[in-house]
């Protein structure tokens, strides 16, 4: 599964980078250009389509929204992992991995805050770098499990999706 995830992330990154080379000139619904090529297209549309702050055709406005969603999802995932750790966990390996995940999502939260701060100053390469680090932290958490716990999987996928999108979009802004 981890090999498939890494292959998918690489493929997604390639597709999104190719797509985003033309995005600043997009007219109309920018989600129709971004989401079909994302890691999990239905999730991308679900998270962004109905958000009233998603301006159509405004790549900077979209990036701002995506960064906020990424921060919110990462914070929620951190809180979920923290609450899971408060419950009895019989398997010591699962407990150890959940403890690692808590650290991963704490770091991911910090990286996305820094990414957003860089975005606000126009430092788009650093925005991309720190969003990519958040993706790495989420993938690292998942990698430690034979199978990602069902309560963690949806939030983890959401963090990876929006963090990766923000990294790719920021990487192509000037």
């Amino acid at each position: 599964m981890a090999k498939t995830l890494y292959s998918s992330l690489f493929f997604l990154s390639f597709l999104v980078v190719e797509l985003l080379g033309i995005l600043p000139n997009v007219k109309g619904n920018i989600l129709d250009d971004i989401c079909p090529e994302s890691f999990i297209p239905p999730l991308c549309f679900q998270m962004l389509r109905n958000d009233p702050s998603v301006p159509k055709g405004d790549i900077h406005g979209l990036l701002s929204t995506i960064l906020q969603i990424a921060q919110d999802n990462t914070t929620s995932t951190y809180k979920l992992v923290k609450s899971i750790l408060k419950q009895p966990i019989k398997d010591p390996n699962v407990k150890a991995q959940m403890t690692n995940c808590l650290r991963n999502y704490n770091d991911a939260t910090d990286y996305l805050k820094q990414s957003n701060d860089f975005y606000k100053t126009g430092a788009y390469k650093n925005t991309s770098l720190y969003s990519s680090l958040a993706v790495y932290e989420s993938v690292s958490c998942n990698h430690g499990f034979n199978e990602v716990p069902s309560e963690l999987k949806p939030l983890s996928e959401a963090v990876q999706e929006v963090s990766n999108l923000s990294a790719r979009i920021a990487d192509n802004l000037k």
Side-chain angles (χ1 to χ4, degrees):
M1 178 167 168
K3 184 176 180 182
T4 303
L5 178 61
Y6 289 119
S7 297
S8 296
L9 284 173
F10 174 76
F11 181 68
L12 169 69
S13 297
F14 173 76
L15 286 176
V16 173
V17 167
E18 290 300 314
L19 175 68
L20 289 175
I22 61 167
L23 278 181
N25 301 317
V26 169
K27 304 287 185 219
N29 188 343
I30 203 163
L31 297 183
D32 289 337
D33 294 307
I34 293 174
C35 290
E37 303 300 328
S38 69
F39 182 48
I40 308 170
L43 183 60
C44 177
F45 278 113
Q46 177 187 0
M47 286 189 294
L48 298 174
R49 178 180 279 147
N50 296 322
D51 188 316
S53 66
V54 175
K56 295 184 185 208
D58 178 1
I59 193 73
H60 289 275
L62 181 62
L63 178 55
S64 178
T65 297
I66 290 171
L67 282 167
Q68 186 58 54
I69 292 170
Q71 285 182 282
D72 292 347
N73 286 342
T74 304
T75 300
S76 294
T77 307
Y78 174 83
K79 289 177 181 177
L80 173 65
V81 172
K82 194 172 185 177
S83 73
I84 291 170
L85 281 168
K86 289 180 180 177
Q87 301 168 15
I89 300 174
K90 293 178 184 175
D91 185 336
N93 293 328
V94 171
K95 183 170 179 115
Q97 185 52 37
M98 289 303 266
T99 301
N100 288 337
C101 286
L102 190 65
R103 280 188 228 108
N104 292 129
Y105 280 103
N106 184 57
D107 290 347
T109 300
D110 290 343
Y111 290 143
L112 285 168
K113 182 187 178 313
Q114 291 176 23
S115 179
N116 199 25
D117 290 345
F118 282 124
Y119 167 71
K120 290 174 183 175
T121 66
Y124 302 126
K125 296 299 179 191
N126 286 336
T127 301
S128 178
L129 172 65
Y130 280 83
S131 290
S132 295
L133 289 169
V135 173
Y136 173 79
E137 293 297 336
S138 180
V139 170
S140 293
C141 167
N142 291 355
H143 185 70
F145 295 105
N146 289 332
E147 186 163 333
V148 179
S150 59
E151 63 268 32
L152 183 59
K153 190 173 183 173
L155 279 172
S156 175
E157 288 176 346
V159 168
Q160 291 169 28
E161 177 74 5
V162 292
S163 298
N164 191 49
L165 283 173
S166 64
R168 298 299 142 233
I169 291 171
D171 197 44
N172 286 278
L173 291 177
K174 298 186 187 289

